[in-house]
Amino acid sequence: MTPGSTRGTTEGVKPTETPSSADMMKRRKRKSLWLVVGMLCLALLIVAVGIYSTTRTGSLSVTGYASGIILAFGSFLGVLGLCLEENRKQLLVAAIVFLSFGIVTSFFCMVVDGVFILFSIDTRPLRAGRCQFYTSGKGYIYENYYASVPCQGLEESCNMKVRSGTCYCCDLYNCANGGYLNNHYEFVGVGSCQEVLSLYILIWVLTLLNLLAFILGILTTAVLGGIKDMKGHTVSPGGGSPHAVLRPRDSIVLSPTAPLLPDPAGHALYPSTSLYFTPTAGTESSQSGLSDTPRLDPHPPPFAPLYSLLPYKTQG
């Protein structure tokens, strides 16, 4: 093997750089931010679909948008907590609380919309075209105007009172007891019977969105809980492992009750080291070439005299 080939092989293999903890923290925060933003977009979509569905007809009370409002507010607090440095922990705790309430609400909305509404709507007469749509014209409001229309059921015929702008299905209406046993045989306030099928699909979509929000909300809450307890690190200029930069004065153990005195340059205040500290007995001969080494006095005076406020100066 020639020296050139050896050099080429050595240059081709590069050592892999291990990411520092600060870089890993930034990546984790970035992924968490994308997750919370996705949760916010999903919550806003639930609010839009839920409000649109509940305003299509006056016969159904869709409740799926309630969870979207709570989840949207919690996700917004989570975005603020990840983007801002001050009050981060308080914002993340508030976001976790609102997301927890939103998770519980999405579960109840999923049960109400998916069980009590979808399973009580029979779309077979709608798909077969056996439902009729009644309207009295644009000059009448459907809340205030009722009309008696003939209804031919599977067993008998009768008359039923409907409002203007109503899609009604006589196959689901029980003439004997006035439709008391059959739910959702009429849909008030719709534009046509075809709109009822679109509403049925929208409620299914809203239920699936609440299921997705339930799963994604649990994941988002767990991620924000892990970010909440993490603390920031100080990154060294060379990109190495994070460490704290200590000043020379920080290495001296000072008393917390020592008075604050200006340093020789007059720029900052620092506790005086001569109040409760005495120099070591064995180092008096070598103090000319070394700095003063303070030693904690085991028996500090109860009251500091005035002359002790001056900086301690060694003799000789």
Side-chain angles (χ1 to χ4, degrees), residues 44-313:
L44 294 178
L45 181 62
I46 290 175
V47 173
V49 176
I51 293 178
Y52 181 80
S53 301
T54 194
T55 55
R56 290 302 90 194
T57 178
S59 302
L60 301 178
S61 297
V62 181
T63 60
Y65 64 92
S67 61
I69 295 175
I70 303 176
L71 291 173
F73 188 70
S75 302
F76 179 72
L77 291 177
V79 172
L80 289 181
L82 292 175
C83 294
L84 299 180
E85 294 293 336
E86 58 276 3
N87 298 328
R88 169 175 295 176
K89 187 173 183 179
Q90 290 80 359
L91 288 173
L92 291 181
V93 169
I96 291 173
V97 171
F98 277 97
L99 286 175
S100 302
F101 281 109
I103 291 171
V104 177
T105 309
S106 64
F107 176 77
F108 283 106
C109 291
M110 181 176 58
V111 171
V112 171
D113 295 340
V115 176
F116 295 100
I117 292 181
L118 290 177
F119 289 158
S120 61
I121 297 177
D122 193 357
T123 59
R124 291 177 296 177
L126 291 169
R127 298 180 185 276
R130 295 182 57 85
C131 298
Q132 293 80 27
F133 179 73
Y134 173 77
T135 178
S136 57
K138 298 181 180 180
Y140 296 94
I141 303 177
Y142 69 89
E143 288 87 357
N144 299 326
Y145 184 78
Y146 291 86
S148 179
V149 294
C151 185
Q152 180 64 40
L154 296 177
E155 299 179 355
E156 53 185 347
S157 61
C158 59
N159 292 330
M160 62 179 299
K161 291 183 178 181
V162 295
R163 302 176 184 179
S164 178
T166 300
C167 177
Y168 59 96
C169 300
C170 293
D171 294 344
L172 303 176
Y173 181 75
N174 192 350
C175 293
N177 52 16
Y180 180 77
L181 298 178
N182 297 326
N183 294 326
H184 304 302
Y185 59 88
E186 63 176 358
F187 301 92
V188 183
V190 296
S192 61
C193 290
Q194 188 65 29
E195 188 174 340
V196 178
L197 294 176
S198 302
L199 177 63
Y200 182 79
I201 297 174
L202 281 177
I203 297 176
W204 265 115
V205 172
L206 183 61
T207 304
L208 294 178
L209 288 178
N210 274 303
L211 177 61
L212 181 61
F214 178 78
I215 300 174
L216 189 60
I218 295 176
L219 181 60
T220 306
T221 305
V223 170
L224 290 182
I227 295 293
K228 174 180 64 68
D229 297 330
M230 296 185 66
K231 298 180 180 179
H233 300 278
T234 303
V235 184
S236 60
S241 60
H243 62 277
V245 181
L246 298 179
R247 295 178 298 176
R249 192 182 298 120
D250 296 336
S251 60
I252 303 175
V253 180
L254 300 179
S255 174
T257 59
L260 299 177
L261 294 178
D263 58 358
H267 295 295
L269 296 178
Y270 65 97
S272 174
T273 61
S274 63
L275 186 58
Y276 299 123
F277 298 97
T278 58
T280 309
T283 59
E284 293 181 356
S285 60
S286 61
Q287 286 180 354
S288 59
L290 300 176
S291 61
D292 295 339
T293 304
R295 184 172 58 87
L296 181 63
D297 191 359
H299 302 288
F303 300 97
L306 294 178
Y307 62 85
S308 64
L309 297 179
L310 298 177
Y312 183 82
K313 295 184 179 178

